[in-house]
Structures are given as C-alpha cells and as structure tokens.
Amino acid sequence: MRRRPNTTLSTAKPSGNDEKPSSREVEDQRPKRSAFLWLALFVFLLNGSWAVYHFQFEKLPLPLSTEKAGKRGFSEASAMEHVKYLTKFGPHPVGSDALDLALQYVFAASEKIKETAHWEVDVRVDFFHAKIGASRLASGLFKGKTHVYSDLKHVVLRILPKYLPEAEENVILVSSHIDTVFATEGAGDCSSCVGVMLELARGISQWAHGFKNGVIFVFNTGEEEGLNGAHSFITQHPWSRAIRFVIDLEAMGIGGKSSLFQGGSAPWAIETFAKVAKYPSGQIIAQDLFLSGAVKSATDLQVYQEVAGLSGLDFAYSDATAVYHTKNDKLKLLKPGSLQHLGENMLAFLLHTARSSRFQKEAEVEREGGTGQTQAIYFDVLGKYMVVYTQRFASMLHNSVILQSLLIWITSLLMGGYPGAISFGLSCLSIVLMWIFSLSLTILVAFIIPLMSTSPVPYIAYPWLVIGLFGAPAILGALTGQHVGFFFLKKYLRHVYKKRVPRLSHNVQENLIEWEAERWLFKSGFIQWLILLVVGNFFKVGSSFLALIWLVSPAFAYGLMEATLSPSRLPKQLKIITLILGLAMPVLVSAGMIIRLVGTIIGVFARFERSPGSAPDWLGSLIVAIFSAAVVCLMLVYLLSYIHLSGAKGLVIFAMCTLLALTLTAVSSGIFPAFTEDISRAVNVVHVVDATGRYGNQDPASFVSLFSATPGKLTKEVENLKNEEFACGKNKTLDFVTFTVNYGCWSSKDSNNGWSKLDIPELHVESDSMSDIRKTRVLIDTKLATRWSLAVNREEISDFTFEVDSEELVPSGHKSMVDGWHIIQFSGGKNSPTKFHLNLFWSTNTIHPSQKAYKQAEDTASLLLKLRTDVNMVTPKVERVLQKLPHWCSLFGKSTSPYTLAFLTALPVQF
C-alpha cells in the first residue's frame, strides 16, 4: 500500500502540555461517516421516541374483574357497567328527560353503595335540587359573561368514619358531571368519570372506617352549560363548607390515560399523588397551555378555585380529542384499561390522603399562603415515575445553570479570542438560518394544502400524515439552513487555519476545518436552548424544565467526551457516543409528551373555529407548520450537525422530498380522507327563526343554517343536499349572540313548518324613565325555551340588574365586557322560569328619546339587546338535512352553540 509523506505539525507552536495529533493521524481519520450510520441514528431516534410515547401514553393496565379486584379494590368491569348504562340513554343535556333517567340511575347506584358499606362507615346520599342562581367568573372563557341557572339536580354522596365526628369538618371532594352536550352520548365526557367515581365510592365505603377525613362524591349537572353544576353545589349545599380539597375528573377526548393537567397550586397533593399512584401520569406543559388560553376550555376546578378558594387537582382523558362533543364520543372507542388506570390511581391517592392527619394543615396553608414560588413543577417518566419540585427550586436550579453556561461561554470566547467570537456568531447565524428555512418551507406547505385538498386540515383522521406534510419540509429546511451556516463557518475557518497552521497540507486543513465547523454546529444547539431557558425562567414557565434537560444533557455529554481546556489543541471528529449520551435523557423525558401534544393540537382543529368563517382556511395548517418546524429545529439540531460529514445528505434530501410529494399526492387524491366514521367533521344544523327585522320585513324570517367549527368550505356536504336548495358563502353573516357565523350555508325551502310564532321570544319595554340617569325596565319572555343567551350593549348601558320573580339574581356593578357586549347565558331544567326582568342603567351621555327623537341614520339600526333562545327539537326540514349529511359529519355541541331550533329577536337602541 502506498504511504503518504510524513508531514508533522512542528511549525505550530504548542501550548501547555496538550498533545496535538500529527497530520498522519488527521489524514487517517479522513473517511467520512457512512450514510448508513447517520440514517441508523435517525431511525433509532424516531423509533426510540415512538417507544417512549407508547410506554408513556398508550400502555394501559389490564382491566380487573369484580372478583379479581375484591371488595376493597377497583374493578374496571364494574365501572364499565355504569358507563354502558349511562350511554344507553343517549345524549342527556340539561333539561332533557334522558338526564332525569341518568340522575335516577346514579342515585340508585349510590343508594346501593350505602346499603353495602362497611358497618363502621357512615354513607349518606343526597338528591340535591339547587335553587336558581348566577355565576360570574373572572377569567378565561367567562370574561364578559354572567351565567344564570335554575332547576339543576345533583347526586351527592358523603362517606365518613362512623365514630370520628371531626372527620365531617374536613372533607375531600371528588367531582364530575353527568350531563352531556345535545350531540353525544358522552361515553368519554363524562360517563367514564361517573363510572369511575361510583366504583371508587364503592371501594372507599369499605375502607373509610380508618379515615381521619371524609370524602364527598358530587355527580353534578350543568357543567356543559358553563360550569353551573359546580357553582350551584359549592355555593348552596350545606356539606360544601367542610370541603378542604378538590379532585375534578374530566375528559377532552375519550379514554387512554387520565393525566394530571392542573394542580400546580397544590404541591403537597401532587407529591402525594406521585408517591402513591400506581401509574402516575401528568405534564406541567399541559397546565401551561391550558392556563395560557391556548386551549379554549374550562373545568369545574376553576369554580372551586375562584368561588371557594380551594386548591385541587384536575385529571382528564385526552385520547382522540377530535371526537370531543361529537357523536363519536361513544363506548366502542373507550380503550380497555382506561378506567382501571384512573380508578387505581385515585383509590391509592384517596386512601392515603383521607388517612393523613396532615391533610387539613397542608390544605389550609396552600389556601391562605400559596405563592408563585410554591407552585409545583411536575412531569412523569414513561408513566412509571413522576418528578415533582417547586418553582422556588426550579428558579434556583435554572439560575445556577444559566450562570454557569454564561460563564463557560464567556471563558471559552475569551480564550478563543477574535476567531472564537466570529465562529460563535456564525454558529448563531446557522441557528437563525435553520429556523428561517424550516419555517419557510413548512409555511409554504400550509398555504398549498387548502389549494390541493378538499379540506384545509386533511390530517385530522390520520394524524401521522403530519410527518410527511410538515415534518419532511421542516427537516429539509433545517438541513438547508444549517448547511448554509456550515458553509460560512468553513469559509471563515479556512482563513483562520491558514494563519494558525499555515504549513499543514490542504487535506489536513480541510479535515480540521470540517471537524471544527461540525463542533460549532453541535454547540449552537446549546445557544438556542439557553435562550429558551432564560426566557422561561424569567416568566416562571413551568415547562422550562424541557429547555434545562435539552441544554444540560448534551452539554454534559460534550464536556465529558469532546471538550478540551486548551484552545490551541486541534479538533477531532465528533464521537457517535457523544450524541447518544446527549440525547438519551431528553428523548426519554420529552419525546412522548411532544408526540401527544401534536396529536392534541390536531384533534382540536376539529372544532377550531369558534365563529365559523372568521379565520382563513390555512390558519390551522399554519399553526401545525410552525409547531413542526419548532420541534425539528429544537430537537434535531444536535443530530443534524452530524450529517454534514456523512454521505447521508443526498439520501435524506431525496427521502424527504419523496415523502412530501407522496403525502401531498395522497391528500389531494383523497386516498386518506380528512374525516371518517369515527373522526367526524363538527357541523351544526340549526332551524333559525329570525325576528330581529334585519331582513327588512316585519314577519320573522325562517331558514335552516348549516355551518361548521372545523375549518374549510361545506362544498362536499352541500353536494349531498342538492334538493334542499342550500346556498353557501360569506354574504349572509348570522349573529347567534354568543358567536357569529361568517361563512355558512342556508336554505329557506320548506322552513315554515315545525315551529310556531307563539314560541318567538319577546323583549318588552315596561318602563323608560329619566331622573339622574336614564333607567329602562325590560321584560324578557323566552316562551318555551329554558336555554337562552342575551347580549347587552355596554357602550349604551353602563350597568344593569337581573331579576327573576322579584328576586335580584345579578346585582349592579363588576361586569366586564368583550367587544362592547356583556352576555347573560341561562340554562335550566324543565321547571325553570321563562320570564325575567332586566333593569338597564344607561350611560350618562345617552340622550332620552323625548329630548331627541331621531339620531343619525346609521345609529337607528344599532341594537341595545340581542336574544337567542334554544329549543332541543328537530323540525322536519332539519331532520331531512341530518339524514342526508355524509356519515362523516356530526352535530357539535358546546355551551355557546344553539340547539337544532333557535329563535332570534332584538331590541334596538331607538325602541
């Protein structure tokens, strides 16, 4: 074999005792990494991430039969019997006969628990009928709203040790709701929770003789109409005064693991849960997103916290979030093991807490003296172990890491001198370019998708399509941006090495330049994660621990395997073991939650538009595109730095381009439909009787409105309704008081049947007087409707009071508004009142009609009050439309959406 000339590095001045490699050693290392090696690392990372997700979120315990669980254990088989029975009633919203049947069933099951309880346990069951009341929550979805409720019924089950009277004064509350929205049987939301609670209560009734604290189970109704059930219970029930802590069970999907997603204000409770739960599951990142408002939802825990000042834990099922509040929240999608997972965790937690003598003290301390520094940071590892620590400790840890990182970087740059500073700047440039290219390509795809597909969100039914649609271009862009940064780094380092070691051969210099550029790209990952850690630490973001792990673990591996204290020592090629050691911990901790987060975001797009047509079609895909690019740039930065000295770049580019092309082809051709029988498009079909006079005649206008909370046009749906004469577009905006339909379809054909003019609600001015301020008294007659929404124009009205049967439910003062309106939402049972009085106090600059009869023409059309009443009745026209809609469509329900028959009326400012 021919030998190369022996060229040494004697011309370079050595520094210290560091031994430099000879040029022979450098040239011996010249061969690049094989493409197979890098691709194997990439595949290993993907499979490892999926394995973490599987163990963390999909691996469920085996369901236990009644015999195996025993008298004191938790049996999914028993809990499932309750769920099956409740779902047989079909949808059971507030005011329905089906809800009365569901209440009777839960009451009977509770009475049976009472009869079979341990003889030293006191079990009491109360069928509680709440009085009419009003709720005004300050934050989240409830800003600018007042909720009024009536004729709500709850089942309340209390379990106490019979011979310890003081336990009655210190009680743990377990809460969930029986009612559903009108569109679903509610197997997940929340019959599954009710089933778990009944089985828990049965088990607890066999243990409670050894308790030091009591347990109350509340099966409330009215949650789906604005958390009214929790409010009526906590403000009216006599047992509520003894409650010291709350556990709320919820669902924003169906089945899977029920995870802790709120509870940072109760660190002792989270620590206890982490210690005793058999399958601990919970992520602070879910709490951060929920409290930020990114997830447009609320739970009963908000009522217990705001109204009663209680701390608590919130658990929720979140598998298949796309089925939330649709017909597909059904029993067949409830995974075996889901109830067992929640039941065993809750049983262990309740047994430990109810026996604890510290429970009351800990709860009172948090209730009175909780601060941001005592907030809990928590996350689970593979669903087997949960890490819990306080914000105070997190701040100390983050500050320490930030200071050490800055010290190391400053020292390194000072030692490296001017060349080191320029290389640092170029490595930062590579990060910027990586983000720019990755975001640009994914955003481009987001804009292309609505042009190629029948749906702007074609990946809802098949979320894995996101890998090809956005993951592939994100990787292409990140690789391109980093390659450009790598090019500039090499160009500058050539200039440096010509001066530093001028007598090295060209091949040796090129090797050293590439190795050092590769190292700078790897270290650039530290920079972006350090920036995120600094920002997260400043704003006290709980999920900042992710930045900590993704910074410390790779940095430690690099320091252990690669770093040298001498800046004059020539670089070597990065070791594969450095990458494996650096990524092991971050992938283990965060890969599962990131995959789950992507799935949750995609599922939310099934109900993304609160006001249909208000957002551009591409917005949903744009959000997924940005998130995908962020995940790739943040979590693949270390792996991508290894690709530039391998032969894998061409293969990766080809593979990503092919994957993107194939996925786009599949989406545009409809091979993978956007919606299926089990993952439906959320639509509303509403027979509207509009008596507002907005269409220029005195007679009410009657038509059927079709609209969707899922982004996209309704073209395919209307194709199935050819004989119903639907027209679609944005030229007929429909104000439903609580939201506006900016894009929808409507048909007036055969729409005069199925309703009566006698059912049209009335807004009647009983008096209009002027003293110090103008005061108007309005009678609201909702006729047959016990569910309605009223908007008050706060630009004209400074304040108001609300009365029922001469009882003032809503006093004056402290009313917020959104977009100039304050909304009153009413929901109640069949025996709710239908006549109310509203006392309006006008703004001081308002002119009384007697002083000025006419205003400018544009003001005469403005409205003072807007009223929508909802009737849970299907008219003949709506029935035909529902039968003709594609099978992949489902009615969608929420507290602000109308039923299938809605009446609209209004009171103008110039009445």
Side-chain angles (χ1 to χ4, degrees):
M1 180 177 179
R2 185 176 179 181
R3 301 176 63 89
R4 295 179 182 272
N6 185 17
T7 304
T8 66
L9 301 178
S10 58
T11 54
K13 295 181 180 180
S15 175
N17 296 322
D18 286 320
E19 183 180 348
K20 299 178 182 179
S22 67
S23 62
R24 174 67 179 276
E25 291 174 330
V26 172
E27 292 203 57
D28 285 345
Q29 297 179 48
R30 175 62 182 168
K32 296 181 179 180
R33 299 185 190 95
S34 70
F36 174 79
L37 177 61
W38 191 92
L39 292 173
L41 287 171
F42 182 62
V43 172
F44 180 73
L45 177 63
L46 293 180
N47 287 337
S49 298
W50 190 257
V52 169
Y53 171 75
H54 172 76
F55 278 100
Q56 189 168 7
F57 291 102
E58 293 191 332
K59 190 174 178 57
L60 294 167
L62 291 175
L64 294 183
S65 65
T66 305
E67 293 75 20
K68 287 186 178 180
K71 197 173 183 180
R72 293 183 167 189
F74 184 92
S75 165
E76 176 169 310
S78 296
M80 188 62 76
E81 288 302 314
H82 298 306
V83 180
K84 289 178 181 177
Y85 209 101
L86 290 170
T87 54
K88 285 180 182 177
F89 298 129
H92 36 282
V94 170
S96 65
D97 292 333
L99 182 58
D100 290 338
L101 294 174
L103 278 164
Q104 291 171 16
Y105 173 81
V106 173
F107 180 75
S110 300
E111 286 286 348
K112 186 176 180 181
I113 292 170
K114 178 181 177 179
E115 294 169 2
T116 58
H118 190 279
W119 68 274
E120 291 184 286
V121 175
D122 179 29
V123 178
R124 295 190 182 183
V125 182
D126 182 27
F127 193 87
F128 180 60
H129 193 166
K131 298 185 297 183
I132 191 168
S135 166
R136 277 187 291 174
L137 301 177
S139 59
L141 300 177
F142 302 97
K143 184 180 179 182
K145 290 183 180 180
T146 297
H147 283 84
V148 183
Y149 51 82
S150 175
D151 193 30
L152 295 182
K153 299 167 187 175
H154 319 310
V155 177
V156 187
L157 189 156
R158 187 179 69 177
I159 302 176
L160 301 172
K162 188 174 289 185
Y163 302 112
L164 191 66
E166 54 265 34
E168 187 175 344
E169 299 303 317
N170 300 293
V171 175
I172 305 162
L173 174 66
V174 183
S175 175
S176 192
H177 63 95
I178 304 174
D179 62 307
T180 70
V181 296
F182 78 98
T184 178
E185 66 187 33
D189 185 20
C190 212
S191 294
S192 59
C193 310
V194 173
V196 167
M197 284 172 58
L198 286 170
E199 176 63 5
L200 275 175
R202 184 203 59 78
I204 291 291
S205 70
Q206 306 301 321
W207 288 97
H209 56 284
F211 286 2
K212 296 180 180 179
N213 310 288
V215 181
I216 289 178
F217 293 88
V218 172
F219 306 88
N220 71 61
T221 64
E223 192 273 350
E224 297 292 7
E225 298 297 340
L227 315 184
N228 296 332
H231 188 275
S232 62
F233 167 77
I234 205 67
T235 57
Q236 297 182 27
H237 200 284
W239 293 349
S240 66
R241 291 188 290 271
I243 295 170
R244 302 289 178 261
F245 185 76
V246 179
I247 298 171
D248 183 51
L249 305 183
E250 259 297 350
M252 62 174 296
I254 181 166
K257 290 189 176 182
S258 182
S259 298
L260 174 64
F261 74 102
Q262 279 196 98
S265 61
W268 71 269
I270 298 178
E271 289 171 3
T272 301
F273 175 74
K275 180 172 66 174
V276 303
K278 192 173 181 180
Y279 315 103
S281 179
Q283 302 294 342
I284 187 69
I285 191 171
Q287 176 175 304
D288 287 342
L289 289 171
F290 194 83
L291 296 181
S292 71
V295 178
K296 303 295 183 183
S297 189
T299 70
D300 284 340
L301 186 61
Q302 181 176 346
V303 174
Y304 298 129
Q305 289 177 329
E306 281 194 30
V307 177
L310 296 169
S311 59
L313 302 180
D314 223 339
F315 294 85
Y317 290 113
S318 56
D319 269 19
T321 54
V323 309
Y324 178 72
H325 283 191
T326 68
K327 67 179 182 181
N328 291 316
D329 184 3
K330 53 192 176 183
L331 197 61
K332 82 167 192 174
L333 297 184
L334 187 57
K335 294 179 181 177
S338 301
L339 307 186
Q340 194 71 40
H341 176 266
L342 175 59
E344 289 199 52
N345 282 347
M346 288 298 98
L347 183 60
F349 178 79
L350 288 171
L351 291 179
H352 184 278
T353 309
R355 289 168 172 166
S356 173
S357 57
R358 296 179 55 198
F359 161 69
Q360 182 184 4
K361 181 180 177 181
E362 295 282 5
E364 286 298 325
V365 167
E366 288 176 2
R367 185 171 181 174
E368 297 176 5
T371 65
Q373 289 298 313
T374 61
Q375 291 281 316
I377 310 299
Y378 56 93
F379 58 92
D380 73 87
V381 180
L382 297 181
K384 295 293 185 182
Y385 179 77
M386 182 171 279
V387 178
V388 185
Y389 53 94
T390 64
Q391 181 62 56
R392 180 180 290 108
F393 177 78
S395 296
M396 293 170 57
L397 180 62
H398 295 172
N399 287 333
S400 174
V401 170
I402 290 168
L403 289 174
Q404 290 182 59
S405 299
L406 293 175
L407 180 62
I408 292 171
W409 273 109
I410 292 171
T411 303
S412 177
L413 292 175
L414 289 175
M415 293 176 67
Y418 181 76
I422 298 298
S423 298
F424 173 80
L426 290 173
S427 66
C428 291
L429 176 65
S430 74
I431 290 292
V432 174
L433 292 173
M434 183 173 67
W435 279 85
I436 290 174
F437 279 86
S438 187
L439 285 169
S440 298
L441 287 182
T442 53
I443 290 173
L444 177 62
V445 172
F447 284 115
I448 290 174
I449 286 175
L451 304 176
M452 299 182 63
S453 172
T454 55
S455 171
V457 283
Y459 37 78
I460 289 180
Y462 300 94
W464 53 265
L465 288 172
V466 169
I467 298 172
L469 291 174
F470 300 109
I475 292 173
L476 277 173
L479 178 58
T480 303
Q482 200 180 69
H483 180 72
V484 174
F486 184 66
F487 171 79
F488 285 123
L489 267 170
K490 288 200 302 180
K491 187 174 182 180
Y492 174 73
L493 289 173
R494 285 193 187 97
H495 175 72
V496 172
Y497 272 80
K498 283 180 181 178
K499 293 183 177 180
R500 182 180 173 190
V501 280
R503 299 198 178 184
L504 289 178
S505 69
H506 175 73
N507 287 342
V508 171
Q509 276 196 6
E510 283 299 309
N511 285 356
L512 295 173
I513 288 166
E514 288 182 341
W515 294 343
E516 183 159 352
E518 180 185 58
R519 286 169 173 261
W520 276 110
L521 290 182
F522 187 88
K523 290 187 289 185
S524 68
F526 305 159
I527 300 168
Q528 62 176 357
W529 283 112
L530 178 59
I531 292 172
L532 286 178
L533 182 60
V534 170
V535 173
N537 186 56
F538 179 80
F539 290 104
K540 299 294 184 290
V541 179
S543 45
S544 298
F545 78 91
L546 290 171
L548 178 74
I549 294 172
W550 280 90
L551 169 62
V552 171
S553 183
F556 177 79
Y558 183 86
L560 180 68
M561 305 302 301
E562 307 287 353
T564 175
L565 296 176
S566 173
S568 62
R569 184 170 183 176
L570 296 178
K572 295 181 180 179
Q573 191 175 42
L574 286 175
K575 302 177 180 68
I576 298 299
I577 190 64
T578 304
L579 182 68
I580 295 173
L581 288 177
L583 294 188
M585 181 60 70
V587 169
L588 182 68
V589 171
S590 63
M593 71 177 74
I594 295 302
I595 294 173
R596 168 51 61 100
L597 184 57
V598 172
T600 301
I601 291 173
I602 293 171
V604 167
F605 289 141
R607 54 187 185 278
F608 180 64
E609 294 194 324
R610 301 186 70 82
S611 290
S614 60
D617 286 348
W618 43 260
L619 182 59
S621 289
L622 180 66
I623 294 171
V624 179
I626 293 172
F627 186 80
S628 301
V631 169
V632 166
C633 291
L634 289 171
M635 298 184 177
L636 293 186
V637 60
Y638 301 114
L639 177 64
L640 288 177
S641 66
Y642 276 68
I643 197 173
H644 304 284
L645 299 185
S646 74
K649 271 189 292 189
L651 287 174
V652 169
I653 291 172
F654 175 77
M656 293 300 107
C657 289
T658 303
L659 179 60
L660 174 60
L662 289 175
T663 313
L664 285 173
T665 302
V667 165
S668 62
S669 63
I671 295 175
F672 300 104
F675 309 102
T676 64
E677 184 69 38
D678 290 334
I679 305 294
S680 301
R681 180 173 190 178
V683 301
N684 287 88
V685 181
V686 185
H687 194 138
V688 180
V689 179
D690 191 335
T692 60
R694 62 183 298 221
Y695 300 106
N697 52 26
Q698 296 300 318
D699 292 330
S702 176
F703 56 91
V704 170
S705 175
L706 170 66
F707 55 91
S708 175
T710 310
K713 301 293 187 290
L714 293 162
T715 309
K716 276 191 165 292
E717 290 79 356
V718 172
E719 286 178 2
N720 287 41
L721 306 172
K722 290 180 180 178
N723 297 328
E724 299 298 337
E725 299 181 4
F726 273 91
C728 301
K730 290 190 174 184
N731 56 335
K732 190 173 182 177
T733 301
L734 184 56
D735 186 349
F736 274 112
V737 180
T738 53
F739 67 97
T740 302
V741 176
N742 297 289
Y743 169 82
C745 304
W746 58 91
S747 169
S748 299
K749 179 184 177 183
D750 300 332
S751 62
N752 290 322
N753 299 322
W755 61 275
S756 169
K757 287 185 178 182
L758 298 176
D759 297 332
I760 298 175
E762 294 179 356
L763 295 171
H764 175 65
V765 177
E766 291 188 337
S767 65
D768 185 31
S769 61
M770 188 78 178
S771 53
D772 294 336
I773 61 172
R774 182 181 173 188
K775 178 182 177 181
T776 302
R777 183 172 175 82
V778 180
L779 171 66
I780 304 169
D781 186 353
T782 62
K783 300 300 175 69
L784 77 166
T786 58
R787 183 183 192 261
W788 51 265
S789 300
L790 176 75
V792 180
N793 187 339
R794 288 300 309 278
E795 293 181 358
E796 298 287 342
I797 302 301
S798 63
D799 205 351
F800 64 85
T801 61
F802 184 80
E803 300 175 5
V804 180
D805 296 329
S806 300
E807 177 187 356
E808 187 177 77
L809 283 181
V810 181
S812 60
H814 308 292
K815 298 181 183 70
S816 58
M817 64 177 177
V818 175
D819 298 328
W821 296 89
H822 185 93
I823 294 176
I824 303 173
Q825 285 185 232
F826 181 92
S827 175
K830 293 188 289 290
N831 297 319
S832 297
T834 58
K835 292 185 178 181
F836 312 86
H837 279 97
L838 188 67
N839 298 309
L840 304 173
F841 304 96
W842 293 68
S843 301
T844 54
N845 59 353
T846 301
I847 301 174
H848 194 274
S850 63
Q851 296 173 302
K852 187 171 182 178
Y854 301 101
K855 300 178 78 176
Q856 294 181 355
E858 60 268 21
D859 291 336
T860 59
S862 62
L863 299 178
L864 183 67
L865 301 175
K866 299 184 294 184
L867 175 64
R868 186 195 83 219
T869 59
D870 301 324
V871 181
N872 194 9
M873 184 171 70
V874 177
T875 63
K877 171 77 171 182
V878 170
E879 185 175 13
R880 287 205 313 272
V881 172
L882 291 175
Q883 290 174 350
K884 293 179 180 180
L885 279 175
H887 64 90
W888 39 261
C889 287
S890 168
L891 290 178
F892 173 68
K894 58 181 179 179
S895 64
T896 56
S897 64
Y899 284 161
T900 48
L901 175 60
F903 295 90
L904 302 177
T905 191
L907 183 67
V909 172
Q910 292 297 306
F911 52 79

